[in-house]
Amino acid sequence: MPLLTASELNQGVSDFISNSEMKAYKNFISIDMFGHAFYHNYSAYGDDNIYFFINDNITPKAKLFIVTCINQNSLKYSYGNQFRQDNADKDKILLPVNSKGEPDYESME
């Protein structure tokens, strides 16, 4: 199974491993410590520099749109200013909204 780490190359896949003690995720958005985001429609493991964002109610096309929006912020992260949990909790991305002020997933598709 793919192992993700901090990298822009190969959607962050650094190796293929088998490790029953690691938690595997599927159909998720990953963000690495440098703020690089990718959508993964397959199962994968990740090291401690990867954050997994899982929402099974969002379509794959909408997830790709969200990844593009997240990557607009990646320039603010570096080795000295890494993306971590507090960033995941506080960072905001701009998304289209519907008339109720909720994310407009239909237009993201």
Side-chain angles (χ1 to χ4, degrees):
M1 191 173 311
L3 173 66
L4 307 180
T5 192
S7 176
E8 283 184 286
L9 301 174
N10 300 319
Q11 290 190 321
V13 176
S14 65
D15 204 351
F16 291 86
I17 65 168
S18 177
N19 186 339
S20 61
E21 294 182 23
M22 290 182 78
K23 183 170 182 174
Y25 299 90
K26 184 177 183 180
N27 197 30
F28 59 92
I29 292 173
S30 69
I31 304 178
D32 71 12
M33 66 189 222
F34 300 117
H36 305 125
F38 300 101
Y39 168 62
H40 307 270
N41 63 349
Y42 49 85
S43 295
Y45 303 119
D47 68 16
D48 58 355
N49 293 311
I50 302 296
Y51 289 85
F52 296 89
F53 296 89
I54 301 159
N55 186 327
D56 293 329
N57 298 318
I58 301 173
T59 66
K61 288 182 181 179
K63 288 179 184 180
L64 287 170
F65 184 95
I66 292 168
V67 162
T68 301
C69 295
I70 293 169
N71 282 326
Q72 297 293 318
N73 291 329
S74 67
L75 293 176
K76 69 181 183 179
Y77 297 107
S78 64
Y79 190 78
N81 183 32
Q82 299 176 2
F83 180 90
R84 295 295 178 195
Q85 185 63 53
D86 62 325
N87 303 107
D89 295 338
K90 295 176 187 174
D91 277 7
K92 297 190 184 319
I93 59 171
L94 298 176
L95 298 174
V97 295
N98 61 23
S99 60
K100 298 177 185 176
E102 301 165 338
D104 188 351
Y105 297 110
E106 221 174 90
S107 73
M108 290 183 216
E109 289 186 28

